[in-house]
Amino acid sequence: LSLKVRDLPQPMSTFSFDDIPDPKENFDKDTIKRVYEETDPTPYYSESVNKQNHFMLSTYIPFCRTLQVSPFPLEAKTVTAYLRWLAKYRNYKLSTLNTTIAFALTRINTAVTHQRVDPYVGAAMRGMLVRLYQDPTTRKPGEGMAPLILCDVKRVIEAMLDTDPKKIFWASLFLFAEATGSRASTCLNIRVSDISRIISHDDGSVAVTIIRRVIKGQGSYAYEPVTLAGSLIEKSSINFIYWFALRLKELKLNSIEEAVQVGKSDSKIARKRIWNTSTDSFTRGIKHRMIMAGLDSKGFGSHSFRAGMLGNIIMNYREAKGPLQSAIDLACLIGNWRRSSQVVDNYFKSETKAG
């Protein structure tokens, strides 16, 4: 097979648009010009994203003014020094730098300059984050991330009145977060189409597989399945399947089986988020309901469910006199974390560690 030069795709610069004929129908030039002038090209950001942007700019702009450097476009030296300053001298958590600050920096840079971040700058940012993670002086312990152990979640759910119109919403959300160790952003991104499979038994017990969309570093995601089991007929404060089925009924889905079938379509309800709220509302909801249950809400937040999942696993292994490393391995499998004891330091309360 031989190809001649004229057979190959030509670059856009070689095309001529002069031979494109005018359309047969009349174009209303005044309307086109008016639409063009009235169109607002400003990017739309959600409330939570705008909060992230403001959170970053409130420190980044004064940092650049102090150095008398231009904040945008991003420069490798400036942005890496900024990340290091936040970690070492402002006590920012590395997870905040990675999932909030870095995203906001690149997002605002694109909005201001109308260009993507220079690849060299992006590589410099990733390199600084890696070095900060490796530096023991910037790798903070899990302060303020006290775990919501399953018994705490049970107490919170039981404290909610059955007449509370939001009880089903919060009970199903709390149990999913605790059982899977998922962050708030992961939980709140679950859609009906993510319910991929259900296995049912005659006694009412079922196992449901749900696909999680998990952030993996800056700008990348991974789709991870997690399977949860329970009973459709047992009304228990810690039975996720029971509360999950009720939550789906609130979304006009009569059963989990129907949700699986609807999720395979491209309908509007298939794209609907199961727990449609913001991360801030999630954290406020936790604290408010912990107070109502008589628990101290200080130090608890959306990451407390990740710590709680690990805490429950380790305590169960300790009661069974099993090896601690096996508990950590299981937690890493569920949470898709690296198999490292550092997970314990980051997400497990020191007074409940197995010795």
Side-chain angles (χ1 to χ4, degrees), residues 7 10 17 37 75 114 204 216 248 262 264 328 335:
D7 296 325
Q10 299 298 307
F17 302 104
E37 293 172 354
E75 295 289 341
H114 304 288
K216 292 293 182 183
L248 292 178
V262 170
K264 295 177 181 178
I328 296 174

Side-chain angles (χ1 to χ4, degrees), residues 9-27:
Q10 299 298 307
M12 283 295 295
S13 60
T14 64
F15 283 105
S16 173
F17 302 104
D18 295 335
D19 56 349
I20 296 178
D22 291 332
K24 294 181 180 180
E25 67 275 12
N26 293 326
F27 269 40

